[in-house]
Amino acid sequence: MDKFLCVLGIFDEATQRALGEYQRAILAQGFTGRQTMGIPFHVTLGTFGLDRRQELEEKLLALKTKPVEAFFNHMGLFEGQQVLFLSPDVTPELLALKEAFSQEKGWTAHTTMLIDSRENVLAGLEILGKRFRRFSGRIERAALYEFFPSQKLGEKILE
């Protein structure tokens, strides 16, 4: 797989804990999945080729955005029911943060909980569905990452 860059909207610590509890409830049932572990829970704001690194670093440094409230109201599935995610509402503030980096159409704000076989993701959905309650959090940082392996290249605190 070719390397690529992503700009991530990273959640505050309380939201990290809440999302971690939901994910641990799934993983505690024996699922491991293929989702990227070891990086903070986030919303991907855009995916780019390596040739855009300097431009993205400059946009990150110039970013002047306050923390963005994130209201998690629903769960969802992608890609043949092989990706399970929690999804914050797309508010004007969240959309503006995304559009500071990407004009991509068809974007869905989401935080991945599990990437696995359809059977395992549907079982994970049932586990998550029994526990999930609406909650709110905040995106407090934007970060530029290179994948794979994951490596943080830069970060900006939203203030």
Side-chain angles (χ1 to χ4, degrees):
M1 173 182 282
D2 290 337
K3 288 183 176 267
F4 58 94
L5 302 172
C6 287
V7 177
L8 310 179
I10 299 177
F11 298 107
D12 65 285
E13 287 306 313
T15 309
Q16 293 291 329
R17 285 190 299 274
L19 292 165
E21 288 175 17
Y22 284 126
Q23 188 176 60
R24 280 190 297 280
I26 297 166
L27 300 180
Q29 299 303 309
F31 303 110
T32 55
R34 299 183 306 277
Q35 64 281 354
T36 303
M37 302 295 284
I39 62 172
F41 288 106
H42 61 275
V43 172
T44 301
L45 303 172
T47 302
F48 311 90
L50 293 179
D51 61 324
R52 306 259 320 260
R53 179 175 176 169
Q54 183 176 347
E55 170 197 347
L56 293 168
E57 287 173 335
E58 290 170 2
K59 285 183 176 187
L60 191 62
L61 285 174
L63 185 64
K64 296 194 182 322
T65 302
K66 293 183 179 191
V68 175
E69 296 298 317
F71 302 99
F72 286 88
N73 286 317
H74 47 278
M75 304 178 298
L77 302 172
F78 280 143
E79 300 178 19
Q81 299 178 332
Q82 294 184 10
V83 178
L84 171 61
F85 61 88
L86 295 179
S87 186
D89 291 341
V90 177
T91 61
E93 296 81 10
L94 179 54
L95 188 59
L97 178 59
K98 182 273 244 189
E99 290 185 346
F101 298 97
S102 170
Q103 301 300 311
E104 176 185 352
K105 304 295 182 209
W107 173 75
T108 300
H110 71 282
T111 300
T112 300
M113 294 284 106
L114 181 67
I115 301 174
D116 209 326
S117 68
R118 180 178 184 273
E119 177 183 28
N120 288 348
V121 165
L122 292 176
L125 176 64
E126 185 173 339
I127 293 163
L128 193 57
K130 290 177 182 175
R131 289 172 171 72
F132 181 71
R133 300 294 177 266
R134 295 182 298 164
F135 69 101
S136 62
R138 287 182 342 147
I139 296 172
E140 66 176 14
R141 296 176 282 149
L144 178 61
Y145 272 76
E146 179 181 281
F147 292 94
F148 286 102
S150 61
Q151 176 185 356
K152 182 166 59 171
L153 302 176
E155 182 175 86
K156 175 80 178 252
I157 296 173
L158 305 181
E159 45 190 9

